[in-house]
């Protein structure tokens, strides 16, 4: 597969149901020059895949309804999409989880929480692209996103404990 030289020509599909993850990843990848499309469910991802060519899918594993592994299996079983790069984007990080992801057809995985400085270059590596010099990232935006994510986690923990 020959890749275009500009990241804008390499649209990425981010499948994640968490709005904070979507916002953070979009910010990081767009700051690095990528074009990013979002889906918050497997069904929405399938609709986007039918209408747009993507170079890579970042796939959350825990999705409402159809999970990310089943969606990955569907991608692998669809002739037009079988060569699409699918990278699990998940908080699951145990070796047995990694094996399940590979068995489903994932080309690799990036664990959450992400290292915001290294993340764009991790994505570039899956595309076979050179690492870029770190773009100028607005640290106040990152701090705001992290604060919102921590507040969300605290609320979820409180809900689970009650």
């Amino acid at each position: 597969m020959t890749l275009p030289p500009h990241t804008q020509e390499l649209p990425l599909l981010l499948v994640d149901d968490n709005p904070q993850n979507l916002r953070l990843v979009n910010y990081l990848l767009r700051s690095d020059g990528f074009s990013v499309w979002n889906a918050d469910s497997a069904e929405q991802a399938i609709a986007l895949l039918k209408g747009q060519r993507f170079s890579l899918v970042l796939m959350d594993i825990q999705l409402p309804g159809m999970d990310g592994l089943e969606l990955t299996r569907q991608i692998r079983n669809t002739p037009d999409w079988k060569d699409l790069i699918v990278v699990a984007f998940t908080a699951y990080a145990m070796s047995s989880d990694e094996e399940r992801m590979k068995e489903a057809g994932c080309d690799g995985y990036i664990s959450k929480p992400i290292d915001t400085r290294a993340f764009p270059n991790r994505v570039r590596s899956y595309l076979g692209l050179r690492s870029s010099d770190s773009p100028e990232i607005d640290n106040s935006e990152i701090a705001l996103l992290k604060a919102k994510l921590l507040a969300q986690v605290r609320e979820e923990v409180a809900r689970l404990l009650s």
Side-chain angles (χ1 to χ4, degrees):
M1 173 177 175
T2 303
L3 296 171
H6 303 323
T7 54
Q8 282 293 338
E9 298 171 21
L10 299 168
L12 309 179
L13 176 58
L14 170 59
V15 185
D16 199 315
D17 63 325
N18 182 301
Q20 301 308 328
N21 288 341
L22 289 170
R23 187 171 173 198
L24 176 61
V25 170
N26 271 280
Y27 177 75
L28 293 171
L29 293 176
R30 287 184 174 151
S31 294
D32 198 49
F34 285 100
S35 172
V36 183
W37 295 59
N38 298 316
D40 61 12
S41 68
E43 295 75 18
Q44 187 179 27
I46 290 169
L48 288 170
L49 285 163
K50 287 179 179 178
Q52 170 74 34
R53 286 193 79 72
F54 294 97
S55 57
L56 180 141
V57 177
L58 285 169
M59 180 74 71
D60 186 16
I61 299 305
Q62 282 189 295
L63 294 170
M66 182 191 311
D67 71 16
L69 294 179
E70 181 56 33
L71 176 54
T72 300
R73 287 183 199 96
Q74 283 194 22
I75 288 170
R76 292 296 175 233
N77 290 321
T78 302
D80 287 345
W81 307 334
K82 67 179 173 80
D83 295 327
L84 182 60
I85 300 166
V86 179
V87 178
F89 181 54
T90 181
Y92 295 139
M94 298 187 67
S95 61
S96 61
D97 295 321
E98 183 178 359
E99 187 60 34
R100 283 185 324 123
M101 292 175 227
K102 287 184 178 180
E103 286 174 4
C106 292
D107 296 296
Y109 81 99
I110 297 174
S111 62
K112 297 174 189 173
I114 60 172
D115 176 345
T116 56
R117 292 164 292 174
F119 182 74
N121 283 329
R122 294 269 327 266
V123 171
R124 284 173 166 280
S125 71
Y126 282 107
L127 290 166
L129 299 174
R130 290 181 334 155
S131 294
S132 68
D133 293 333
S134 296
E136 286 298 316
I137 293 180
D138 180 358
N139 287 326
S140 63
E141 178 74 11
I142 298 289
L144 177 64
L145 290 169
K146 283 182 180 178
K148 286 182 179 182
L149 183 60
L150 286 173
Q152 182 182 10
V153 168
R154 284 187 198 108
E155 288 173 15
E156 182 69 14
V157 167
R159 185 183 64 75
L160 291 171
L161 292 174
S162 64

